[in-house]
PDB file of all heavy atoms in Angstrom:
ATOM      1  N   LEU A  32      36.613  90.607  32.824  1.00 97.00           N
ATOM      2  CA  LEU A  32      37.146  89.333  32.341  1.00 97.00           C
ATOM      3  C   LEU A  32      38.514  89.669  31.728  1.00 97.00           C
ATOM      4  O   LEU A  32      38.616  90.609  31.018  1.00 97.00           O
ATOM      5  CB  LEU A  32      36.266  88.632  31.348  1.00 97.00           C
ATOM      6  CG  LEU A  32      34.953  88.180  31.902  1.00 97.00           C
ATOM      7  CD1 LEU A  32      33.820  89.038  31.306  1.00 97.00           C
ATOM      8  CD2 LEU A  32      34.638  86.714  31.644  1.00 97.00           C
ATOM      9  N   ILE A  60      32.247  95.158  31.878  1.00 95.00           N
ATOM     10  CA  ILE A  60      30.882  95.260  31.500  1.00 95.00           C
ATOM     11  C   ILE A  60      30.040  95.728  32.697  1.00 95.00           C
ATOM     12  O   ILE A  60      30.175  95.236  33.790  1.00 95.00           O
ATOM     13  CB  ILE A  60      30.260  93.896  31.093  1.00 95.00           C
ATOM     14  CG1 ILE A  60      31.111  93.297  30.008  1.00 95.00           C
ATOM     15  CG2 ILE A  60      28.847  94.080  30.578  1.00 95.00           C
ATOM     16  CD1 ILE A  60      31.098  91.775  29.987  1.00 95.00           C
ATOM     17  N   PHE A  62      26.570  95.857  34.496  1.00 96.00           N
ATOM     18  CA  PHE A  62      25.353  95.122  34.572  1.00 96.00           C
ATOM     19  C   PHE A  62      24.281  95.893  35.280  1.00 96.00           C
ATOM     20  O   PHE A  62      24.533  96.643  36.193  1.00 96.00           O
ATOM     21  CB  PHE A  62      25.569  93.806  35.305  1.00 96.00           C
ATOM     22  CG  PHE A  62      26.007  92.617  34.419  1.00 96.00           C
ATOM     23  CD1 PHE A  62      26.824  92.847  33.292  1.00 96.00           C
ATOM     24  CD2 PHE A  62      25.650  91.323  34.756  1.00 96.00           C
ATOM     25  CE1 PHE A  62      27.182  91.825  32.478  1.00 96.00           C
ATOM     26  CE2 PHE A  62      26.040  90.266  34.000  1.00 96.00           C
ATOM     27  CZ  PHE A  62      26.814  90.499  32.822  1.00 96.00           C
ATOM     28  N   TYR A  80      20.668  82.193  31.001  1.00 98.00           N
ATOM     29  CA  TYR A  80      20.409  83.595  30.929  1.00 98.00           C
ATOM     30  C   TYR A  80      21.391  84.310  30.051  1.00 98.00           C
ATOM     31  O   TYR A  80      22.524  84.148  30.179  1.00 98.00           O
ATOM     32  CB  TYR A  80      20.376  84.256  32.384  1.00 98.00           C
ATOM     33  CG  TYR A  80      20.079  85.739  32.346  1.00 98.00           C
ATOM     34  CD1 TYR A  80      18.767  86.141  32.179  1.00 98.00           C
ATOM     35  CD2 TYR A  80      21.093  86.680  32.419  1.00 98.00           C
ATOM     36  CE1 TYR A  80      18.485  87.497  32.091  1.00 98.00           C
ATOM     37  CE2 TYR A  80      20.716  88.026  32.374  1.00 98.00           C
ATOM     38  CZ  TYR A  80      19.466  88.452  32.212  1.00 98.00           C
ATOM     39  OH  TYR A  80      19.149  89.771  32.148  1.00 98.00           O
ATOM     40  N   SER A  81      20.830  85.108  29.107  1.00 98.00           N
ATOM     41  CA  SER A  81      21.719  85.807  28.223  1.00 98.00           C
ATOM     42  C   SER A  81      21.247  87.261  28.048  1.00 98.00           C
ATOM     43  O   SER A  81      20.182  87.633  28.339  1.00 98.00           O
ATOM     44  CB  SER A  81      21.792  85.134  26.809  1.00 98.00           C
ATOM     45  OG  SER A  81      20.507  85.121  26.259  1.00 98.00           O
ATOM     46  N   GLY A  82      22.276  88.093  27.571  1.00 97.00           N
ATOM     47  CA  GLY A  82      21.966  89.465  27.397  1.00 97.00           C
ATOM     48  C   GLY A  82      22.755  90.149  26.287  1.00 97.00           C
ATOM     49  O   GLY A  82      23.733  89.456  25.764  1.00 97.00           O
ATOM     50  N   VAL A  91      28.233  93.913  22.977  1.00 95.00           N
ATOM     51  CA  VAL A  91      28.622  92.897  23.938  1.00 95.00           C
ATOM     52  C   VAL A  91      27.504  91.983  24.160  1.00 95.00           C
ATOM     53  O   VAL A  91      26.368  92.363  24.447  1.00 95.00           O
ATOM     54  CB  VAL A  91      29.115  93.511  25.297  1.00 95.00           C
ATOM     55  CG1 VAL A  91      29.407  92.511  26.286  1.00 95.00           C
ATOM     56  CG2 VAL A  91      30.256  94.453  25.120  1.00 95.00           C
ATOM     57  N   LYS A  92      27.762  90.668  23.991  1.00 96.00           N
ATOM     58  CA  LYS A  92      26.757  89.628  24.276  1.00 96.00           C
ATOM     59  C   LYS A  92      27.359  88.731  25.356  1.00 96.00           C
ATOM     60  O   LYS A  92      28.533  88.428  25.421  1.00 96.00           O
ATOM     61  CB  LYS A  92      26.537  88.749  23.023  1.00 96.00           C
ATOM     62  CG  LYS A  92      25.965  89.545  21.868  1.00 96.00           C
ATOM     63  CD  LYS A  92      25.974  88.607  20.566  1.00 96.00           C
ATOM     64  CE  LYS A  92      25.718  89.450  19.315  1.00 96.00           C
ATOM     65  NZ  LYS A  92      25.874  88.675  18.116  1.00 96.00           N
ATOM     66  N   PHE A  93      26.484  88.369  26.318  1.00 98.00           N
ATOM     67  CA  PHE A  93      26.878  87.461  27.319  1.00 98.00           C
ATOM     68  C   PHE A  93      25.869  86.334  27.524  1.00 98.00           C
ATOM     69  O   PHE A  93      24.701  86.471  27.199  1.00 98.00           O
ATOM     70  CB  PHE A  93      27.119  88.233  28.665  1.00 98.00           C
ATOM     71  CG  PHE A  93      25.898  88.837  29.280  1.00 98.00           C
ATOM     72  CD1 PHE A  93      25.093  88.088  30.128  1.00 98.00           C
ATOM     73  CD2 PHE A  93      25.517  90.149  28.985  1.00 98.00           C
ATOM     74  CE1 PHE A  93      23.965  88.715  30.699  1.00 98.00           C
ATOM     75  CE2 PHE A  93      24.398  90.725  29.513  1.00 98.00           C
ATOM     76  CZ  PHE A  93      23.581  89.969  30.350  1.00 98.00           C
ATOM     77  N   ASN A  94      26.366  85.152  28.067  1.00 98.00           N
ATOM     78  CA  ASN A  94      25.509  84.093  28.287  1.00 98.00           C
ATOM     79  C   ASN A  94      26.013  83.335  29.480  1.00 98.00           C
ATOM     80  O   ASN A  94      27.224  82.996  29.612  1.00 98.00           O
ATOM     81  CB  ASN A  94      25.666  83.147  27.042  1.00 98.00           C
ATOM     82  CG  ASN A  94      24.588  82.105  26.982  1.00 98.00           C
ATOM     83  OD1 ASN A  94      24.469  81.318  27.907  1.00 98.00           O
ATOM     84  ND2 ASN A  94      23.883  82.046  25.913  1.00 98.00           N
ATOM     85  N   PHE A  95      25.054  83.040  30.375  1.00 98.00           N
ATOM     86  CA  PHE A  95      25.348  82.228  31.556  1.00 98.00           C
ATOM     87  C   PHE A  95      24.421  81.099  31.512  1.00 98.00           C
ATOM     88  O   PHE A  95      23.202  81.164  31.336  1.00 98.00           O
ATOM     89  CB  PHE A  95      25.017  83.023  32.845  1.00 98.00           C
ATOM     90  CG  PHE A  95      25.497  82.381  34.108  1.00 98.00           C
ATOM     91  CD1 PHE A  95      26.724  82.704  34.711  1.00 98.00           C
ATOM     92  CD2 PHE A  95      24.641  81.477  34.734  1.00 98.00           C
ATOM     93  CE1 PHE A  95      27.167  82.072  35.853  1.00 98.00           C
ATOM     94  CE2 PHE A  95      25.090  80.841  35.944  1.00 98.00           C
ATOM     95  CZ  PHE A  95      26.333  81.118  36.501  1.00 98.00           C
ATOM     96  N   LYS A  96      25.028  79.834  31.538  1.00 98.00           N
ATOM     97  CA  LYS A  96      24.215  78.702  31.293  1.00 98.00           C
ATOM     98  C   LYS A  96      24.827  77.468  31.914  1.00 98.00           C
ATOM     99  O   LYS A  96      26.046  77.355  32.264  1.00 98.00           O
ATOM    100  CB  LYS A  96      24.001  78.345  29.794  1.00 98.00           C
ATOM    101  CG  LYS A  96      25.278  78.083  29.046  1.00 98.00           C
ATOM    102  CD  LYS A  96      24.974  77.913  27.589  1.00 98.00           C
ATOM    103  CE  LYS A  96      26.281  77.596  26.818  1.00 98.00           C
ATOM    104  NZ  LYS A  96      26.002  77.377  25.348  1.00 98.00           N
ATOM    105  N   SER A 108      28.687  77.804  32.856  1.00 98.00           N
ATOM    106  CA  SER A 108      29.686  78.555  32.021  1.00 98.00           C
ATOM    107  C   SER A 108      29.188  79.986  31.841  1.00 98.00           C
ATOM    108  O   SER A 108      27.991  80.188  31.753  1.00 98.00           O
ATOM    109  CB  SER A 108      29.976  77.915  30.705  1.00 98.00           C
ATOM    110  OG  SER A 108      28.895  77.952  29.860  1.00 98.00           O
ATOM    111  N   PHE A 109      30.129  80.875  31.795  1.00 98.00           N
ATOM    112  CA  PHE A 109      29.793  82.289  31.483  1.00 98.00           C
ATOM    113  C   PHE A 109      30.690  82.762  30.336  1.00 98.00           C
ATOM    114  O   PHE A 109      31.945  82.602  30.380  1.00 98.00           O
ATOM    115  CB  PHE A 109      30.145  83.174  32.787  1.00 98.00           C
ATOM    116  CG  PHE A 109      29.923  84.584  32.640  1.00 98.00           C
ATOM    117  CD1 PHE A 109      28.735  85.101  32.121  1.00 98.00           C
ATOM    118  CD2 PHE A 109      30.919  85.466  33.012  1.00 98.00           C
ATOM    119  CE1 PHE A 109      28.478  86.454  32.114  1.00 98.00           C
ATOM    120  CE2 PHE A 109      30.701  86.871  32.950  1.00 98.00           C
ATOM    121  CZ  PHE A 109      29.477  87.339  32.430  1.00 98.00           C
ATOM    122  N   SER A 110      30.082  83.149  29.301  1.00 97.00           N
ATOM    123  CA  SER A 110      30.793  83.639  28.070  1.00 97.00           C
ATOM    124  C   SER A 110      30.396  85.029  27.780  1.00 97.00           C
ATOM    125  O   SER A 110      29.243  85.503  27.981  1.00 97.00           O
ATOM    126  CB  SER A 110      30.498  82.714  26.900  1.00 97.00           C
ATOM    127  OG  SER A 110      29.167  82.735  26.512  1.00 97.00           O
ATOM    128  N   VAL A 111      31.371  85.730  27.266  1.00 97.00           N
ATOM    129  CA  VAL A 111      31.223  87.140  26.844  1.00 97.00           C
ATOM    130  C   VAL A 111      31.865  87.303  25.530  1.00 97.00           C
ATOM    131  O   VAL A 111      33.008  86.886  25.290  1.00 97.00           O
ATOM    132  CB  VAL A 111      31.798  88.126  27.835  1.00 97.00           C
ATOM    133  CG1 VAL A 111      31.776  89.577  27.299  1.00 97.00           C
ATOM    134  CG2 VAL A 111      31.124  88.024  29.178  1.00 97.00           C
ATOM    135  N   ASN A 112      31.114  87.865  24.528  1.00 96.00           N
ATOM    136  CA  ASN A 112      31.671  88.147  23.194  1.00 96.00           C
ATOM    137  C   ASN A 112      31.500  89.607  22.973  1.00 96.00           C
ATOM    138  O   ASN A 112      30.422  90.188  23.081  1.00 96.00           O
ATOM    139  CB  ASN A 112      30.902  87.389  22.153  1.00 96.00           C
ATOM    140  CG  ASN A 112      30.923  85.908  22.461  1.00 96.00           C
ATOM    141  OD1 ASN A 112      31.975  85.306  22.516  1.00 96.00           O
ATOM    142  ND2 ASN A 112      29.705  85.305  22.499  1.00 96.00           N
ATOM    143  N   ASN A 124      36.545  87.112  22.663  1.00 96.00           N
ATOM    144  CA  ASN A 124      35.701  86.081  23.331  1.00 96.00           C
ATOM    145  C   ASN A 124      36.282  85.639  24.657  1.00 96.00           C
ATOM    146  O   ASN A 124      37.503  85.462  24.718  1.00 96.00           O
ATOM    147  CB  ASN A 124      35.493  84.846  22.413  1.00 96.00           C
ATOM    148  CG  ASN A 124      34.881  85.250  21.094  1.00 96.00           C
ATOM    149  OD1 ASN A 124      33.852  85.883  21.087  1.00 96.00           O
ATOM    150  ND2 ASN A 124      35.477  84.867  19.972  1.00 96.00           N
ATOM    151  N   TYR A 125      35.498  85.585  25.663  1.00 97.00           N
ATOM    152  CA  TYR A 125      35.938  85.223  27.008  1.00 97.00           C
ATOM    153  C   TYR A 125      34.976  84.102  27.419  1.00 97.00           C
ATOM    154  O   TYR A 125      33.764  84.067  27.229  1.00 97.00           O
ATOM    155  CB  TYR A 125      35.819  86.350  27.958  1.00 97.00           C
ATOM    156  CG  TYR A 125      36.555  87.520  27.552  1.00 97.00           C
ATOM    157  CD1 TYR A 125      36.112  88.471  26.648  1.00 97.00           C
ATOM    158  CD2 TYR A 125      37.894  87.728  27.994  1.00 97.00           C
ATOM    159  CE1 TYR A 125      36.702  89.590  26.251  1.00 97.00           C
ATOM    160  CE2 TYR A 125      38.631  88.845  27.548  1.00 97.00           C
ATOM    161  CZ  TYR A 125      38.059  89.763  26.700  1.00 97.00           C
ATOM    162  OH  TYR A 125      38.785  90.849  26.298  1.00 97.00           O
ATOM    163  N   LEU A 126      35.584  83.073  28.157  1.00 97.00           N
ATOM    164  CA  LEU A 126      34.782  81.948  28.609  1.00 97.00           C
ATOM    165  C   LEU A 126      35.389  81.517  29.925  1.00 97.00           C
ATOM    166  O   LEU A 126      36.620  81.383  30.102  1.00 97.00           O
ATOM    167  CB  LEU A 126      34.854  80.786  27.572  1.00 97.00           C
ATOM    168  CG  LEU A 126      34.147  79.469  28.063  1.00 97.00           C
ATOM    169  CD1 LEU A 126      32.604  79.722  28.184  1.00 97.00           C
ATOM    170  CD2 LEU A 126      34.446  78.396  27.044  1.00 97.00           C
ATOM    171  N   ILE A 127      34.524  81.344  30.971  1.00 97.00           N
ATOM    172  CA  ILE A 127      34.982  80.801  32.226  1.00 97.00           C
ATOM    173  C   ILE A 127      33.878  79.865  32.768  1.00 97.00           C
ATOM    174  O   ILE A 127      32.691  80.089  32.561  1.00 97.00           O
ATOM    175  CB  ILE A 127      35.268  81.971  33.214  1.00 97.00           C
ATOM    176  CG1 ILE A 127      35.966  81.403  34.482  1.00 97.00           C
ATOM    177  CG2 ILE A 127      34.035  82.783  33.543  1.00 97.00           C
ATOM    178  CD1 ILE A 127      36.598  82.504  35.309  1.00 97.00           C
ATOM    179  N   GLY A 128      34.365  78.824  33.378  1.00 97.00           N
ATOM    180  CA  GLY A 128      33.450  77.853  33.993  1.00 97.00           C
ATOM    181  C   GLY A 128      33.362  78.024  35.515  1.00 97.00           C
ATOM    182  O   GLY A 128      34.345  78.418  36.163  1.00 97.00           O
ATOM    183  N   PHE A 129      32.228  77.672  36.066  1.00 98.00           N
ATOM    184  CA  PHE A 129      32.006  77.671  37.505  1.00 98.00           C
ATOM    185  C   PHE A 129      31.549  76.326  37.987  1.00 98.00           C
ATOM    186  O   PHE A 129      30.447  75.894  37.568  1.00 98.00           O
ATOM    187  CB  PHE A 129      31.017  78.790  37.965  1.00 98.00           C
ATOM    188  CG  PHE A 129      31.414  80.101  37.526  1.00 98.00           C
ATOM    189  CD1 PHE A 129      30.752  80.740  36.444  1.00 98.00           C
ATOM    190  CD2 PHE A 129      32.347  80.783  38.235  1.00 98.00           C
ATOM    191  CE1 PHE A 129      31.107  82.026  36.062  1.00 98.00           C
ATOM    192  CE2 PHE A 129      32.737  82.100  37.851  1.00 98.00           C
ATOM    193  CZ  PHE A 129      32.066  82.672  36.762  1.00 98.00           C
TER     194      PHE A 129
END
Side-chain angles (χ1 to χ4, degrees):
L32 297 109
I60 309 152
F62 270 33
Y80 180 73
S81 59
V91 176
K92 299 173 192 170
F93 65 88
N94 193 307
F95 189 94
K96 64 182 181 180
S108 67
F109 179 51
S110 64
V111 172
N112 302 305
N124 298 308
Y125 303 86
L126 177 66
I127 189 165
F129 301 103

